[in-house]
Amino acid sequence: MLLDEDPATLISECTSNFNIAPDRAALTRITTSLRTLTTARTLRTSSAGAALQRLDRQRATLDAQHALEAQQHDPTAHASRILALDTHKFRVAKQASEVEVEGARLAGELEGLRRVLGEVEARGVEGGGEGEGAREGEDETILKLKVYRSLGIDIEPDRESGAYNKAIIRNNQKGDVHVVNIDPKFSRFFYANYFWQTM
């Protein structure tokens, strides 16, 4: 079939009527978006890989520390140390209880000595003062004997001369009894120190 116009002219006119600029711009935008997404995905993948490597190194370090501590841990030594600490704790508690009981006993003795001292001071050296009618027969020697007796010391006179030359010292806490013959050649200071050390 013969055409009324030259084919080359028809093709040229058809090509010039096509508008492909919008399509090319759209393709350019799509290509740019794909490149941006690819770059972002690569960066996220690299960051996740670095974090995973860091966590893996931390896990390896913790595993090594755990293995070392497990190797150094001795259950037998730990149990022995706990037992020793418990024993020491009970020993300290027992000593504290004994100290408390001893303190109460000494407080009672101190109160008794204060009462005796109060009586001695009220009566005076010559045996005067309050209560003289009730204790008319007591004198300075009897009051001294009372003080000694309150300390756990009994003074006995000599059967022949009547002089007080024998002391019996009782230590109720230790359950000891000491008999001391008082010799005039030793000073009172010597016997006082001996009595306190024995008590």
Side-chain angles (χ1 to χ4, degrees):
M1 170 176 130
L2 298 175
L3 299 174
D4 295 337
E5 296 181 7
D6 183 24
T9 302
L10 292 174
I11 293 172
S12 177
E13 291 179 357
C14 181
T15 303
S16 63
N17 288 329
F18 280 128
N19 187 10
I20 63 174
D23 294 334
R24 293 180 63 182
L27 289 175
T28 301
R29 289 195 303 270
I30 292 173
T31 302
T32 303
S33 298
L34 286 176
R35 288 176 180 173
T36 303
L37 290 174
T38 302
T39 302
R41 184 176 180 275
T42 302
L43 291 176
R44 291 183 62 182
T45 304
S46 300
S47 177
L52 182 61
Q53 291 178 357
R54 184 172 62 255
L55 292 174
D56 187 65
R57 288 193 298 270
Q58 291 179 357
R59 181 193 60 79
T61 302
L62 292 175
D63 287 343
Q65 291 179 355
H66 178 266
L68 180 62
E69 291 179 359
Q71 183 179 2
Q72 293 178 349
H73 178 66
D74 188 358
T76 304
H78 179 72
S80 300
R81 177 169 176 78
I82 293 298
L83 180 60
L85 290 175
D86 287 341
T87 303
H88 180 68
K89 178 181 68 176
F90 289 126
R91 185 180 298 113
V92 170
K94 181 180 178 182
Q95 291 176 353
S97 177
E98 291 176 352
V99 168
E100 184 178 357
V101 172
E102 179 66 13
R105 186 187 68 81
L106 292 176
E109 291 185 0
L110 179 60
E111 186 63 26
L113 291 175
R114 285 176 177 172
R115 287 196 300 268
V116 173
L117 179 61
E119 293 179 3
V120 173
E121 291 178 348
R123 187 168 297 276
V125 178
E126 300 298 332
E130 296 182 1
E132 184 176 359
R135 302 180 183 229
E136 188 174 352
E138 293 184 353
D139 57 5
E140 180 184 357
T141 302
I142 295 177
L143 289 176
K144 289 181 179 179
L145 292 176
K146 286 182 62 177
V147 174
Y148 292 147
R149 190 173 295 110
S150 67
L151 295 173
I153 303 174
D154 290 332
I155 308 296
E156 295 184 356
D158 185 52
R159 296 182 179 179
E160 297 180 357
S161 62
Y164 292 96
N165 57 5
K166 182 189 228 180
I168 301 175
I169 306 172
R170 293 180 176 83
N171 190 327
N172 296 327
Q173 182 180 3
K174 298 180 180 179
D176 296 337
V177 177
H178 296 272
V179 178
V180 180
N181 292 318
I182 300 175
D183 193 337
K185 68 181 181 179
F186 294 105
S187 65
R188 294 183 178 181
F189 179 75
F190 168 79
Y191 283 110
N193 285 336
Y194 180 77
F195 287 170
W196 281 115
Q197 291 175 2
T198 305
M199 290 187 296

